[in-house]
Structure formats: C-alpha cells, structure tokens
Amino acid sequence: MSILSDLLAENTTLEPAGVDHLQWLVTEWQLLADLSFADLLLWVPTTRGDLLCVAQVRPTTGPTTYQEDQVGRRQPVDAAFPLAVALRERRICREADPDWDGDLPVRREGIPVRKGDQVIAVLSRDTNLAAARSPSALELAYLQAAGELCQMVAEGTFPTAADDPEAHVGPRAGDGLLRVDATGVVVYASPNALSAYRRLGVAGDVRGTELGPLTRSLATDPFDGEEVANRIRAAVAGQRPERMEIDAGGATVLVRALPLRPGGAARGALVLIRDVTEVRRRDRQLMTKDATIREIHHRVKNNLQTVAALLRLQSRRTSHDSARDALTESVRRVTSIAMVHETLAQSVDERVNLDELVDRVVPMMGDLAGTDGRVTVRREGDFGVVSADRATALVLVLTELLQNAFEHAYPAPERGEVVLHVDRGAKWLDVLISDTGKGLPRGFSLERTERLGLQIVRTLVDSELRGSLSLRRRERGG
C-alpha cells in the first residue's frame, strides 16, 4: 500500500470514493506543480482535529520551497492560514503578504479539494519567491493554465475518474505544451512543443493554426490522424479523452489533451506532447522479452496440467481411500496454481484480476470435491487486481478453506451454502468464509491441528501474505 493510503486510513474517516479522488489528484498534480512553479502539499483534516500533510510534490520547472520532506507534518487548524479559510469557506485563499520559511520568502495559497458537495482536503500551493523575476511568455502561459486548473480542483471538476489512468507517466509540461482556445486554434506553443512538431514535419509556426486538422495532416496513418484530431476537439468541447500516440516523419509523439473549463466556461484546452521516438524503439525490444515471459507462464501451466492429469490417473488406480483422497487434494492444488499461470500467460503486467480467477476456480473445486451441486458458493465484494506473487498464495488459501467447508460443514447428502465475503479497504484485504453447517468440533485448535490443508494455509498467510488467520464458531451455527 502507498504511504498516502496508509496515512488516510490511519488518520481520517474518508469514504473510499474520497480516497480515490485524492489518489487521482496525486496522480495528476506533478503537472499542476510544474505549471505553478510551486511545491504542492496535500493536507487533510484528521480525527484528532488538526491538519496532516499526507503528500508532497516539488516542481521540475523551478526551485523547491522545502528542502525537507513535509509528509507527516501536523499543524492546528486555527494556525493554518490560508488553509483554514479554504476549508471553511470553500474558496481559494492566498496570503496577502509572503511568509518566511527560514530564510526563504514563501507565498502560500490554499485550494479546497472538492469531491461532490464536500471539501475533503486542501491543497497548499507554496511558491519560493527568492527566485522571483520578470516572467517570460512561457511562464505566463504556465501560470495562467495553473490558475484555471486550481479553480477546477476547487470546483471538483479536476481531476476525475475519467482522466487518463496513466497520466503520471507523461507527457509533462516541460516535454511540450500547447494552449488552444475555444475554437481549437493554437494561441501558445512552448519551445519543446515546437521542436516536437518540427520532427513530425511542420516547417513553420503552429501558432494561429487549428491544431486538430494540422496534426491529422501529419500522421502517417490517416486513421490515427483522424483519431487524434477528434480527441483534441473533444477536449476543447469539455470531454476528457485518453492520450494517444501518432507516427509521422519517422518520429513518434505522445499527445494528451486536457479541457480547461473553470467556472463551467469553455476556455479551450491544454495539449501536452512528448517525443517518444527512442522510448518506443526500446519498447519494441522489451516486447520480445515480455512475449518470452508469457510463453514461460504458458509452458508452466501446461506442465502443471500434465502433472495434475498424471496424479488424477494415479488416484483412479489406487485402491486405498486415504491415498486416493490425498492424490485428489494434490490435483486440486496443482490445478489452482496452473490457473494462476494461465492468467499470467494472458497478462502484460504480472498482475491478476483475482475476481475472475476465483470465479473460475470455485466451480472446478466443486467438481473435484464431488458435491454435485449440493454446496454452492456465493461471493460478496471484490478482490480487485493483485500482484502475481500474492495471487498464487491467495488462491491456494481460498481453495483450502473452501474445500474444508465443502467436506466438513456439509457432509453428503446435506445441502448448503458457503459465503465468500471480501472487504478491500485502503490498507487491508479482509476475507471471511462462512457457512451454516456442522461447525468446528469441540476442542479444535488451529495451532495444534495436524491437517495438512490448514498447515499450508497458516504458512501461506504468515509468510507470503503477511496476514492473520482465525477460525471460530458462528453464534447461530457453522
């Protein structure tokens, strides 16, 4: 879990939607810091009644205000002007006179962070005035865009969940920035943006030109050109299109358009552009390695399925019930691991959608356990996406505990239901498996049990998942 998630979980009572909104803001705010030439600090009201700094970002376009990290710093609400005013009055508030942080003059500005009808946090925009000088055209364009984005933060219209989920990887303001007006015409282009368009094949100045048609005419693929032109028009109209790459003139550029609508009025859009020609060349080399890794997962899955088939064949030739049961349990465990590798063979980032995987594993378990539909499993809540190393351990733990419920809660010919309840919060994943069957035998102790399945579960929970495990009787049985 990230430091931001931990701090919010431990110090606030924010709902998941509020936590997600602050995560989105932190994803986007490097752009806002660069445009502002200022440090941004995210402050949240805590359950103790004070303000806590939970995140900080420094500008890459100017000097920082703070040499020391501010995350974890607390201050009383009453002493936190202009933050307290921004929280209380739900408006942007700037100090009239510079404050001093040591030897540095600092101008502080409080920006309320709105989510729906609530102000859930406040953003502190702190500018180091020691390096102040007459601003250039680039700096004026940056500051104007930053002011409009800050107003949208205070209105709750920036950022949103519809924004690009990979915004944190660029492009950034320093890579290249164009400002287009409400008609889509370029009114400002930074030097790096002009250089990028030079590589795409533009001979003259792009200012005064409608950006969508210009970019469309440059693209090697006419469909890509039409698509990027549509996305620029969509941003000007107030929508939030995803970023896109286009190839032209032997170069590859990444384009992202952000609508500017402070106060609900159309002010055009910011278009960020980065030359990624060399990056894509290296990506093509990495794709070969990724394909090799997926092929390895595919072969591991095939080998595990072969092992499971051999164990299943051996169990059919075994006359001893205890040996047959042990082989059947081994088939189930091997098959569960094989399913994880099958999912990883189709993944591109070594992450697993555990909900889809569990929904595939559970029916397979019922078949192996021979329940013939007597016992059903109902899932409540979502696991979400987890890393590959944890997915295998989680699936094995779930299959072992569900298998115990199948075998011991509802012995044949009894019928019943097992509920798999999942609660994923900002810091923990809580899983509760419950039934209404026979319940635990008297004198049962998880620490003293000699059952192999529970020993496997305890080991995986302690060592792989860094969690805790408990088994207990329900008040009404099961």
Side-chain angles (χ1 to χ4, degrees), residues 424-435:
R424 182 167 185 165
K427 193 174 182 180
W428 299 100
L429 176 67
D430 294 321
V431 182
L432 178 65
I433 299 174
S434 60
D435 61 71

Side-chain angles (χ1 to χ4, degrees), residues 8 18 21 54 77 86 88 131 135 167 170 215 234 238 246 292 313 361 375 397 425 433-434 454-455 458:
L8 293 176
H21 186 74
V54 293
V77 177
R88 182 176 62 253
T215 308
I246 60 169
T292 302
L313 181 63
V361 169
V375 183
V397 167
I433 299 174
S434 60
L454 288 178
Q455 290 179 359
R458 287 177 55 194

Side-chain angles (χ1 to χ4, degrees), residues 62 90 159 169 280 314 372 395 412 414:
R90 302 188 173 196
V169 297
R280 290 299 165 259
Q314 184 65 49
D372 297 325
V395 169
E414 293 184 18

Side-chain angles (χ1 to χ4, degrees), residues 370-371 374-375 404-416 437-439:
T371 60
R374 292 184 298 101
V375 183
N404 279 350
F406 287 165
E407 292 181 2
H408 305 295
Y410 305 108
E414 293 184 18
R415 295 179 173 273
K438 294 176 57 177

Side-chain angles (χ1 to χ4, degrees), residues 2 34 54 104 147 153 164 171 184 202 229-230 255 265 272 342 367 373 394 402-403 423 425 444 463 466 474:
S2 69
D34 291 344
V54 293
L104 290 178
V153 170
D164 189 344
V202 174
N230 289 336
V255 180
L272 305 174
E342 181 180 12
D367 294 338
L394 272 170
L402 288 171
Q403 185 70 21
D423 184 14
F444 174 83
S463 61
R466 291 179 296 173
R474 295 180 63 181

Side-chain angles (χ1 to χ4, degrees), residues 253-310:
V253 297
L254 180 63
V255 180
R256 184 179 182 225
L258 284 171
L260 294 175
R261 299 181 70 86
R267 300 281 183 85
L270 288 180
V271 179
L272 305 174
I273 184 168
R274 174 194 287 178
D275 186 343
V276 293
T277 306
E278 292 302 314
V279 174
R280 290 299 165 259
R281 182 184 63 82
R282 292 193 295 269
D283 285 348
R284 285 191 288 271
Q285 296 174 344
L286 291 174
M287 285 177 64
T288 303
K289 297 180 181 179
D290 291 339
T292 302
I293 292 173
R294 289 196 293 273
E295 178 62 22
I296 290 173
H297 283 303
H298 181 71
R299 294 188 181 186
V300 170
K301 181 263 296 185
N302 288 343
N303 291 338
L304 289 173
Q305 287 181 334
T306 301
V307 172
L310 292 175

Side-chain angles (χ1 to χ4, degrees), residues 294-367:
R294 289 196 293 273
E295 178 62 22
I296 290 173
H297 283 303
H298 181 71
R299 294 188 181 186
V300 170
K301 181 263 296 185
N302 288 343
N303 291 338
L304 289 173
Q305 287 181 334
T306 301
V307 172
L310 292 175
L311 291 173
R312 190 179 295 110
L313 181 63
Q314 184 65 49
S315 69
R316 292 170 182 169
R317 294 172 175 266
T318 301
S319 57
H320 297 286
D321 292 341
S322 59
R324 188 184 302 108
D325 291 342
L327 289 170
T328 300
E329 289 186 0
S330 298
V331 169
R332 170 174 52 77
R333 291 167 184 147
V334 171
T335 303
S336 298
I337 299 174
M339 284 190 172
V340 175
H341 283 281
E342 181 180 12
T343 302
L344 291 172
Q346 301 168 1
S347 173
V348 295
D349 58 357
E350 291 291 298
R351 291 165 66 83
V352 177
N353 186 322
L354 203 60
D355 298 300
E356 295 179 359
L357 185 57
V358 168
D359 290 344
R360 291 170 52 202
V361 169
V362 168
M364 176 270 297
M365 291 180 53
D367 294 338

